[in-house]
Amino acid sequence: MAAVVSPSRFAAFGRTRARVALGLLALLLALCLTALLSPDPQAMGSTVRNDAGQTDLALYEKIVAGVRGGENYYVAAADALRAGQYPLRPFLTFRLPGLATVLAAIPQWLPVRWFLYALVLCVAGAWANRLRGELTRPLPAVAALILMLGSLLVFLQYELAPFHEIWAALLVALSLALRKPGRWIEAVAIALAAMLIRETAALYVVIMAVFAWREGERREAIGWGVALVLFAAALGAHAWAVAGVTGPHDPMSPGWAGLLGFGFFIKAAVLATALQMLPVWAGALLVGLALFGWLSWRDPLGLRMFAILAGYAAVIALFARLDTFYWALMIAPVFLLGLLFAPAGIRDLWRQALDKPRITVTRVTR
């Protein structure tokens, strides 16, 4: 893989720190291979079925059709969940109404895929602009294009448009690309839209708020905080609306304490990108190298991206179930771009680890 030419974050490491970092990289890659021992998630899209044989995709399509036909969103969602023998409690089993309402409002003669592809192009363009300083040679630029396409593979499948993660993940990626020091209002607004589509986007907003606060960007941190408050208000209204269409006899969700481990996150990340076409062991190692690559990039955005990936990795490892592996879509749209920076990181760590102490001899004249 063609690497960027800029020095990595590790270029200034001393010999001892470099050797420790190489050891931690080897440990990370070994942990990635635990994906070989992890249970297989259910497949993406129309093949994800519940105990009654209902697919998640068909469920969301049915809800959109109901709203388009004039039904109240919560009534349509409750009816569809009951018909598919899905749990209706707690309220988080109901998706927020934003996406279904928007999709239902789009005229049927206007293909939804146009909107999806337009958003994909916006994400690709924003990240190309964000990385242009790193892609000054043709080979890394071509590699970046291939890796971007590999990251966006699932998002180009327009039949998955009713899936909430598809839109929320793209909005999160766009928000991250647009955010710059002193320019954060657009990023916060887009992130709020992502949270109103899929509540798991809130983890991204929390991480961005923490980074803004630590970097002394107080106004930006407050902006992220305001977005979280607005989202919390919307989530409260959502819970109240769900309570109006459910009762104590409706089935309860089995919960989200899957405890499937880091290997499950790795396998889910493989399935969320073009790495699904490789053997599991190869895809798992590339996921680990992509994580390392984002950490290697000597840009504040690289550290933010690594923290976001680590946050979602922890959530998926602890709380995801076999049928909710698609949470990994939230970090997929630009995930593989981290591989651009991995070779420079390995090069610098190796060079620094092998650096021998220099003895300077000074001749004393009398």
Side-chain angles (χ1 to χ4, degrees), residues 63-73 75-76 104:
I63 293 172
V64 171
V67 175
R68 184 179 289 123
E71 279 190 273
N72 173 272
Y73 168 77
V75 172

Short mmCIF file of all heavy atoms in Angstrom, two decimals, residues 63-73 75-76 104:
data_model
loop_
_atom_site.label_atom_id
_atom_site.label_comp_id
_atom_site.label_asym_id
_atom_site.label_seq_id
_atom_site.Cartn_x
_atom_site.Cartn_y
_atom_site.Cartn_z
N ILE A 63 -42.60 0.17 7.88
CA ILE A 63 -42.89 1.38 8.66
C ILE A 63 -42.95 2.60 7.75
O ILE A 63 -43.85 3.44 7.86
CB ILE A 63 -41.84 1.56 9.77
CG1 ILE A 63 -41.94 0.43 10.80
CG2 ILE A 63 -42.00 2.92 10.45
CD1 ILE A 63 -40.82 0.41 11.82
N VAL A 64 -42.00 2.71 6.83
CA VAL A 64 -42.00 3.84 5.89
C VAL A 64 -43.28 3.83 5.05
O VAL A 64 -43.90 4.89 4.84
CB VAL A 64 -40.75 3.79 4.99
CG1 VAL A 64 -40.86 4.83 3.87
CG2 VAL A 64 -39.49 4.03 5.81
N ALA A 65 -43.68 2.65 4.59
CA ALA A 65 -44.90 2.55 3.80
C ALA A 65 -46.12 2.99 4.61
O ALA A 65 -47.03 3.65 4.08
CB ALA A 65 -45.08 1.12 3.29
N GLY A 66 -46.15 2.62 5.88
CA GLY A 66 -47.27 3.03 6.73
C GLY A 66 -47.34 4.53 6.91
O GLY A 66 -48.41 5.14 6.82
N VAL A 67 -46.19 5.16 7.14
CA VAL A 67 -46.14 6.62 7.30
C VAL A 67 -46.53 7.30 5.99
O VAL A 67 -47.26 8.30 5.98
CB VAL A 67 -44.75 7.07 7.77
CG1 VAL A 67 -44.66 8.59 7.82
CG2 VAL A 67 -44.43 6.48 9.13
N ARG A 68 -46.06 6.76 4.87
CA ARG A 68 -46.42 7.33 3.57
C ARG A 68 -47.92 7.22 3.33
O ARG A 68 -48.52 8.08 2.67
CB ARG A 68 -45.65 6.60 2.46
CG ARG A 68 -45.88 7.19 1.07
CD ARG A 68 -45.09 6.46 0.02
NE ARG A 68 -43.66 6.73 0.14
CZ ARG A 68 -42.73 5.81 0.30
NH1 ARG A 68 -43.08 4.52 0.40
NH2 ARG A 68 -41.47 6.13 0.39
N GLY A 69 -48.53 6.19 3.88
CA GLY A 69 -49.97 6.01 3.72
C GLY A 69 -50.81 6.86 4.67
O GLY A 69 -52.03 6.77 4.65
N GLY A 70 -50.16 7.67 5.50
CA GLY A 70 -50.89 8.58 6.37
C GLY A 70 -50.97 8.17 7.83
O GLY A 70 -51.56 8.88 8.64
N GLU A 71 -50.37 7.03 8.18
CA GLU A 71 -50.39 6.59 9.57
C GLU A 71 -49.45 7.42 10.43
O GLU A 71 -48.43 7.93 9.94
CB GLU A 71 -49.98 5.12 9.69
CG GLU A 71 -51.07 4.12 9.38
CD GLU A 71 -50.61 2.71 9.76
OE1 GLU A 71 -49.98 2.04 8.92
OE2 GLU A 71 -50.90 2.29 10.90
N ASN A 72 -49.77 7.54 11.70
CA ASN A 72 -48.84 8.11 12.66
C ASN A 72 -47.63 7.20 12.76
O ASN A 72 -47.75 5.98 12.78
CB ASN A 72 -49.53 8.24 14.03
CG ASN A 72 -48.57 8.68 15.11
OD1 ASN A 72 -47.92 7.85 15.74
ND2 ASN A 72 -48.49 9.97 15.34
N TYR A 73 -46.44 7.80 12.84
CA TYR A 73 -45.22 6.99 12.85
C TYR A 73 -45.24 5.96 13.95
O TYR A 73 -44.91 4.78 13.73
CB TYR A 73 -43.98 7.88 13.01
CG TYR A 73 -42.74 7.06 13.32
CD1 TYR A 73 -42.09 6.35 12.32
CD2 TYR A 73 -42.25 6.95 14.63
CE1 TYR A 73 -40.97 5.57 12.61
CE2 TYR A 73 -41.14 6.18 14.92
CZ TYR A 73 -40.52 5.48 13.91
OH TYR A 73 -39.43 4.69 14.19
N VAL A 75 -47.70 4.60 15.65
CA VAL A 75 -48.70 3.55 15.43
C VAL A 75 -48.20 2.58 14.37
O VAL A 75 -48.28 1.35 14.54
CB VAL A 75 -50.05 4.16 15.01
CG1 VAL A 75 -51.04 3.07 14.60
CG2 VAL A 75 -50.63 5.01 16.13
N ALA A 76 -47.65 3.12 13.29
CA ALA A 76 -47.13 2.26 12.22
C ALA A 76 -45.98 1.41 12.71
O ALA A 76 -45.89 0.21 12.40
CB ALA A 76 -46.69 3.12 11.04
N ALA A 104 -40.59 8.77 3.81
CA ALA A 104 -41.99 8.73 3.42
C ALA A 104 -42.41 9.99 2.68
O ALA A 104 -43.33 9.95 1.85
CB ALA A 104 -42.86 8.54 4.66
#
